[in-house]
Amino acid sequence: MTDTTDPATTAASATRAGRGRWDHTPGAVSGLTATGGLATVELTWHSYRPRHGQLVDHYEVYVSERADRGDLAHSATLLGRTLYPHLTHRVGPEPRKRHYTVVAVVSSGARTRPARPVSAVNARSVAAGRAVARVGDFDHKGLEFALSPDQSARYRTAFPAGVDYRYGTSTPGRDWSYLHPGPSDAWGGRKEHTFTLRFDLAAAPKDDLACALWLIDAHATAAGAAEVTLNGRPVRTLQFQGGATRGSLEGDATRVGSALKPSYYEFPLAAGLFTAGENVLRLRKTSGSWIAYDALGVFAAQ
């Protein structure tokens, strides 16, 4: 779940729309916690147990970026609905403090009081720094890329020599495939594929830079690995987390109910690896199946 909920939907407006008064069912959700991480805030709470034999129909999670002195649930926006006592809020690269509460809605339509609000700050991503080179937006979506969201069968025709992208000249919608095939993929020719990001520097940096690679999904059981090189020198071998095997067919992990399983990889790039003039960052998929891109970039600290 992400920051994209309709801001007009608040807990107060939900009540006015006839979905029940807060005091129609006793108690409130308890045990709400919020833990900030890279690109996420993880929310968990205790399962609500209604009285009189009713069942929980769903939970509603509300978020606000300001701490209200009054009832948070009456000014916060609806982040999402879930059947389970947990929700992942997917957020951007910049650290930001947010405040959360949860309401349980039972089978009759009655609603509990809002849970006691909690707050969390997401971790700062290196993508919050100054972009030296980047492809795509760090927004948990891959819809801006070529062939997205479901045209992987055209990959070998569109990119017969792999992806070769020049920052400042190339465009994501034409020059960067949303899927990066691995040697296990028949549609990719069952071979290794290299994606190249080229960018120019007026001078070699004095300080280390960093790389951010965000994925919206990966193959669930064969995510595999990729070797990262910069100007021909090895930087990192990435072992990818298994995804949900849906990223080849849909490209928006912020969509309510999306089954996509994003993952995030960030690591330093030593200043001595760079040079004045053209620099070349390469990702070579050496094992397993595909990964689905959210964004890739090289960043300097700000």
Side-chain angles (χ1 to χ4, degrees):
M1 308 302 297
T2 66
D3 296 76
T4 58
T5 306
D6 180 355
T9 306
T10 67
S13 65
T15 300
R16 290 194 297 269
R19 280 184 277 182
R21 294 174 54 85
W22 298 115
D23 57 357
H24 272 191
T25 195
V29 170
S30 63
L32 176 61
T33 65
T35 305
L38 178 62
T40 63
V41 175
E42 297 291 344
L43 301 163
T44 63
W45 55 91
H46 296 156
S47 297
Y48 178 74
R49 301 189 183 283
R51 298 179 186 176
H52 310 304
Q54 293 198 73
L55 301 175
V56 171
D57 185 78
H58 64 274
Y59 299 96
E60 295 180 346
V61 182
Y62 293 86
V63 61
S64 176
E65 293 195 5
R66 74 170 188 231
D68 250 336
R69 294 182 180 178
D71 189 349
L72 175 66
H74 283 75
S75 60
T77 59
L78 177 63
L79 176 60
R81 297 182 176 91
T82 176
L83 300 176
Y84 308 103
H86 54 82
L87 184 142
T88 300
H89 185 192
R90 303 199 184 279
V91 298
E94 292 279 358
R96 192 174 296 172
K97 188 174 186 178
R98 297 174 177 87
H99 312 276
Y100 300 90
T101 189
V102 176
V103 171
V105 181
V106 300
S107 51
S108 68
R111 305 154 63 80
T112 66
R113 297 190 306 274
R116 185 172 186 174
V118 296
S119 303
V121 180
N122 59 295
R124 180 182 179 86
S125 164
V126 301
R130 177 178 60 83
V132 173
R134 65 184 291 169
V135 186
D137 301 316
F138 290 83
D139 61 357
H140 313 285
K141 301 178 184 178
L143 298 173
E144 67 268 39
F145 295 123
L147 308 180
S148 180
D150 59 3
Q151 296 298 304
S152 59
R154 296 172 47 206
Y155 172 82
R156 282 193 285 174
T157 299
F159 299 98
V163 166
D164 198 329
Y165 189 99
R166 180 171 291 279
Y167 178 63
T169 303
S170 301
T171 61
R174 180 188 63 202
D175 301 313
W176 190 277
S177 171
Y178 80 113
L179 278 195
H180 189 151
S184 296
D185 294 313
W187 58 269
R190 297 196 184 279
K191 64 179 183 178
E192 296 180 350
H193 290 265
T194 299
F195 280 33
T196 300
L197 172 59
R198 301 178 188 273
F199 55 98
D200 295 325
L201 295 175
K206 296 180 180 179
D207 300 318
D208 292 351
L209 304 182
C211 182
L213 169 61
W214 288 18
L215 305 179
I216 62 166
D217 202 19
H219 193 281
T221 59
E227 291 183 358
V228 182
T229 62
L230 179 59
N231 294 327
R233 297 167 66 180
V235 172
R236 184 70 57 100
T237 297
L238 298 176
Q239 299 288 338
F240 295 112
Q241 301 172 26
T245 316
R246 286 293 302 172
S248 61
L249 300 173
E250 57 183 277
D252 184 358
T254 73
R255 184 180 58 80
V256 174
S258 171
L260 298 177
K261 188 177 178 181
S263 56
Y264 315 97
Y265 309 87
E266 302 194 352
F267 47 91
L269 297 170
L273 295 172
F274 295 89
T275 185
E278 183 184 70
N279 290 264
V280 182
L281 182 74
R282 287 192 168 98
L283 277 77
R284 180 168 63 94
K285 196 71 168 61
T286 55
S287 67
S289 188
W290 54 265
I291 55 174
Y293 284 98
D294 176 353
L296 169 69
V298 176
F299 297 87
Q302 278 187 327

